[in-house]
Amino acid sequence: MKTNIATDKLQSARLLQCGVDPETADMFYQTPITVSQKRQGEDVLLIKKSDATLYDTDTPAWSLSSLLGLVPKTISDFWMTKWFVPIVDGFQIDDMENPYQLSGDFQLLHIGGGKYQVEYDWDGFRGKLPQSDNPIEACVLAVELLAANNYKFNEI
């Protein structure tokens, strides 16, 4: 069984596309540089020191703890005009017929059936964001949806 302790490279790329500052990452993937690393054939996940400089070949990675620090703790009256439409292989962002306001405090919920969900609205369906069987992916999906709705993470 493989345990994910940080975003994988694809999730990291998705966060960067949303405008998330790579300096907020607390880990990074380093391309193999030693003989033993090259034998393994995989990038190495390392903890990022606060004064470390990432090289062009490094990919930032966010632990769940870092992601929880990144997502807004409270959202007040934020208009959502886009949502995730379920498709065969996951979700696709699309325009909503009836935009709504997202308001409430952040919650990462284990909703049963091995699924996790980010939620901001305490009283109902409209504040629930996409589900995933991985809490890290649930947070990445929430960041993607907020970014698609023009939420500015760098202006917190």
Side-chain angles (χ1 to χ4, degrees):
M1 180 175 132
K2 183 178 179 182
T3 303
N4 295 341
I5 63 167
T7 55
D8 60 29
K9 290 178 100 173
L10 179 59
Q11 290 167 327
S12 294
R14 289 165 46 204
L15 289 172
L16 292 172
Q17 286 178 335
C18 291
V20 174
D21 184 352
E23 292 300 315
T24 61
D26 57 344
M27 304 177 114
F28 67 97
Y29 289 96
Q30 182 181 66
T31 302
I33 54 175
T34 67
V35 172
S36 63
Q37 290 172 345
K38 289 180 181 177
R39 254 187 253 128
Q40 299 251 342
E42 295 181 6
D43 289 349
V44 179
L45 181 63
L46 300 169
I47 295 174
K48 182 180 163 215
K49 294 181 180 173
S50 60
D51 61 348
T53 301
L54 293 180
Y55 297 99
D56 291 341
T57 57
D58 295 336
T59 302
W62 288 263
S63 67
L64 180 57
S65 174
S66 182
L67 285 170
L68 293 175
L70 176 69
V71 295
K73 302 298 175 261
T74 300
I75 292 182
S76 297
D77 302 326
F78 182 73
W79 279 100
M80 300 288 283
T81 60
K82 298 191 181 302
W83 69 303
F84 277 107
V85 180
I87 58 173
V88 175
D89 294 328
F91 299 99
Q92 174 182 318
I93 295 177
D94 203 355
D95 292 325
M96 296 184 71
E97 259 185 52
N98 300 310
Y100 67 92
Q101 282 188 326
L102 188 66
S103 286
D105 294 330
F106 170 84
Q107 296 180 71
L108 176 61
L109 303 172
H110 183 260
I111 58 172
K115 298 283 186 187
Y116 294 86
Q117 176 174 289
V118 170
E119 185 174 315
Y120 278 99
D121 188 24
W122 64 271
D123 67 349
F125 174 77
R126 294 240 181 230
K128 296 177 182 175
L129 302 182
Q131 303 170 6
S132 175
D133 58 359
N134 179 312
I136 290 175
E137 177 64 11
C139 289
V140 172
L141 287 167
V143 168
E144 285 181 310
L145 187 57
L146 289 170
N149 282 283
N150 296 316
Y151 187 88
K152 304 297 182 206
F153 290 93
N154 295 333
E155 296 175 11
I156 298 173

